Amino acid sequence: MWYRLVIGGLAIVGGLAITGVAPGDSSRATIEHCYVMDSGHPETRSTKCTGHWSRFGATFTGEILGVEVVPFWPAIPPYAGAGEWGEVAVPDDDTVRVVPALAVPGLATVTPWMVWTVRVALVVEAVFWTVPLVHLVRSRRRKPVTA
């Protein structure tokens, strides 16, 4: 029974780490640079962004997945041709630049449904593992002491 609690505890600590709610963490990532490859069709437009976030009390940088680059973000010269990556200016507005994220060292994702799914799963898991822990503590208190 105790090994299940250890596994559950490790899963909760891992969930706290990627959601950024562990001590010394931030649940947000800051987008610094975004690049767009435009092939002429909006549905085939590719984007990639980089930035930084805090995990385990340290700052990490890397790729940020799931950023929706809006078409009106201005391109930064020199302008890229078709099939080339061109940098676009990320707005200074913190509601666009600083976003909720799941992150590990080197990679973050800001896809809203994924962020909230993991957070809800973490709460459900914490409740699920609290019940056996309470049962274990109560059962140890009830055992008579034998000499």
Side-chain angles (χ1 to χ4, degrees):
M1 174 80 161
W2 64 270
Y3 61 90
R4 290 182 184 169
L5 293 174
V6 170
I7 292 169
L10 290 174
I12 290 172
V13 169
L16 289 173
I18 67 167
T19 58
V21 294
D25 285 359
S26 170
S27 62
R28 303 178 91 58
T30 301
I31 301 166
E32 294 171 349
H33 302 281
C34 283
Y35 304 89
V36 175
M37 184 187 299
D38 203 351
S39 62
H41 301 289
E43 58 272 356
T44 59
R45 185 177 189 201
S46 299
T47 62
K48 63 180 178 179
C49 295
T50 60
H52 68 275
W53 54 89
S54 173
R55 290 296 182 266
F56 314 111
T59 301
F60 294 95
T61 60
E63 186 174 1
I64 300 178
L65 305 175
V67 177
E68 186 175 332
V69 176
V70 182
F72 64 80
W73 289 6
I76 297 175
Y79 302 104
E84 296 178 4
W85 289 102
E87 187 171 5
V88 294
V90 180
D92 286 334
D93 182 11
D94 277 350
T95 60
V96 174
R97 185 177 285 276
V98 183
V99 290
L102 301 175
V104 295
L107 183 67
T109 182
V110 297
T111 310
W113 69 267
M114 190 180 299
V115 171
W116 284 106
T117 300
V118 171
R119 288 179 179 174
V120 168
L122 182 61
V123 169
V124 169
E125 183 180 4
V127 169
F128 178 77
W129 286 106
T130 300
V131 173
L133 180 62
V134 169
H135 176 71
L136 181 66
V137 169
R138 283 187 177 178
S139 68
R140 292 196 183 246
R141 284 186 186 170
R142 292 183 192 156
K143 289 184 180 178
V145 178
T146 56

mmCIF file of all heavy atoms in Angstrom, residues 24 56 62 70 72 81 84 93 111 133 143:
data_model
loop_
_atom_site.group_PDB
_atom_site.id
_atom_site.type_symbol
_atom_site.label_atom_id
_atom_site.label_comp_id
_atom_site.label_asym_id
_atom_site.label_seq_id
_atom_site.Cartn_x
_atom_site.Cartn_y
_atom_site.Cartn_z
ATOM 1 N N GLY A 24 8.734 28.257 -6.017
ATOM 2 C CA GLY A 24 9.807 28.769 -6.869
ATOM 3 C C GLY A 24 9.483 28.735 -8.348
ATOM 4 O O GLY A 24 10.314 29.102 -9.170
ATOM 5 N N PHE A 56 11.442 24.914 -11.003
ATOM 6 C CA PHE A 56 12.372 24.435 -9.988
ATOM 7 C C PHE A 56 13.254 25.568 -9.454
ATOM 8 O O PHE A 56 14.388 25.361 -9.077
ATOM 9 C CB PHE A 56 13.254 23.299 -10.524
ATOM 10 C CG PHE A 56 12.498 22.254 -11.281
ATOM 11 C CD1 PHE A 56 12.654 22.114 -12.641
ATOM 12 C CD2 PHE A 56 11.614 21.417 -10.634
ATOM 13 C CE1 PHE A 56 11.956 21.154 -13.350
ATOM 14 C CE2 PHE A 56 10.907 20.456 -11.336
ATOM 15 C CZ PHE A 56 11.078 20.323 -12.690
ATOM 16 N N GLY A 62 13.634 28.247 -24.205
ATOM 17 C CA GLY A 62 13.437 27.223 -25.216
ATOM 18 C C GLY A 62 12.231 27.516 -26.075
ATOM 19 O O GLY A 62 11.674 28.615 -26.046
ATOM 20 N N VAL A 70 -0.925 36.050 -34.481
ATOM 21 C CA VAL A 70 -1.999 36.741 -35.189
ATOM 22 C C VAL A 70 -1.430 37.378 -36.458
ATOM 23 O O VAL A 70 -0.324 37.925 -36.436
ATOM 24 C CB VAL A 70 -2.633 37.808 -34.264
ATOM 25 C CG1 VAL A 70 -3.773 38.520 -34.947
ATOM 26 C CG2 VAL A 70 -3.111 37.156 -32.972
ATOM 27 N N PHE A 72 -1.804 40.113 -37.935
ATOM 28 C CA PHE A 72 -1.451 41.526 -37.954
ATOM 29 C C PHE A 72 -0.185 41.854 -37.159
ATOM 30 O O PHE A 72 0.210 43.010 -37.081
ATOM 31 C CB PHE A 72 -2.621 42.413 -37.487
ATOM 32 C CG PHE A 72 -3.029 42.212 -36.066
ATOM 33 C CD1 PHE A 72 -2.333 42.791 -35.017
ATOM 34 C CD2 PHE A 72 -4.145 41.446 -35.765
ATOM 35 C CE1 PHE A 72 -2.720 42.611 -33.707
ATOM 36 C CE2 PHE A 72 -4.538 41.261 -34.457
ATOM 37 C CZ PHE A 72 -3.821 41.846 -33.428
ATOM 38 N N GLY A 81 11.135 35.540 -47.659
ATOM 39 C CA GLY A 81 10.407 35.146 -48.860
ATOM 40 C C GLY A 81 9.536 33.942 -48.572
ATOM 41 O O GLY A 81 9.524 33.399 -47.464
ATOM 42 N N GLU A 84 10.447 30.645 -46.278
ATOM 43 C CA GLU A 84 11.517 30.988 -45.350
ATOM 44 C C GLU A 84 10.921 31.487 -44.035
ATOM 45 O O GLU A 84 9.829 32.039 -44.018
ATOM 46 C CB GLU A 84 12.411 32.088 -45.940
ATOM 47 C CG GLU A 84 13.156 31.684 -47.188
ATOM 48 C CD GLU A 84 13.978 32.852 -47.743
ATOM 49 O OE1 GLU A 84 14.012 33.925 -47.119
ATOM 50 O OE2 GLU A 84 14.565 32.670 -48.819
ATOM 51 N N ASP A 93 2.106 43.965 -25.081
ATOM 52 C CA ASP A 93 0.993 43.736 -24.171
ATOM 53 C C ASP A 93 1.217 42.429 -23.399
ATOM 54 O O ASP A 93 1.367 41.355 -23.983
ATOM 55 C CB ASP A 93 -0.307 43.658 -24.983
ATOM 56 C CG ASP A 93 -1.534 43.472 -24.121
ATOM 57 O OD1 ASP A 93 -1.437 43.605 -22.885
ATOM 58 O OD2 ASP A 93 -2.600 43.202 -24.700
ATOM 59 N N THR A 111 -0.946 25.756 -25.097
ATOM 60 C CA THR A 111 -2.249 25.368 -25.629
ATOM 61 C C THR A 111 -3.247 25.361 -24.472
ATOM 62 O O THR A 111 -3.109 24.559 -23.544
ATOM 63 C CB THR A 111 -2.167 23.972 -26.275
ATOM 64 O OG1 THR A 111 -1.054 23.956 -27.164
ATOM 65 C CG2 THR A 111 -3.433 23.628 -27.006
ATOM 66 N N LEU A 133 -4.194 7.926 1.779
ATOM 67 C CA LEU A 133 -3.261 8.449 2.773
ATOM 68 C C LEU A 133 -3.945 8.621 4.120
ATOM 69 O O LEU A 133 -3.403 8.216 5.154
ATOM 70 C CB LEU A 133 -2.681 9.786 2.301
ATOM 71 C CG LEU A 133 -1.678 10.444 3.242
ATOM 72 C CD1 LEU A 133 -0.463 9.550 3.415
ATOM 73 C CD2 LEU A 133 -1.267 11.803 2.711
ATOM 74 N N LYS A 143 -3.866 0.635 15.655
ATOM 75 C CA LYS A 143 -3.181 -0.597 16.048
ATOM 76 C C LYS A 143 -2.720 -0.498 17.504
ATOM 77 O O LYS A 143 -2.085 0.485 17.898
ATOM 78 C CB LYS A 143 -1.980 -0.846 15.139
ATOM 79 C CG LYS A 143 -2.369 -1.242 13.741
ATOM 80 C CD LYS A 143 -1.155 -1.561 12.934
ATOM 81 C CE LYS A 143 -1.580 -1.953 11.516
ATOM 82 N NZ LYS A 143 -0.453 -2.225 10.665
#
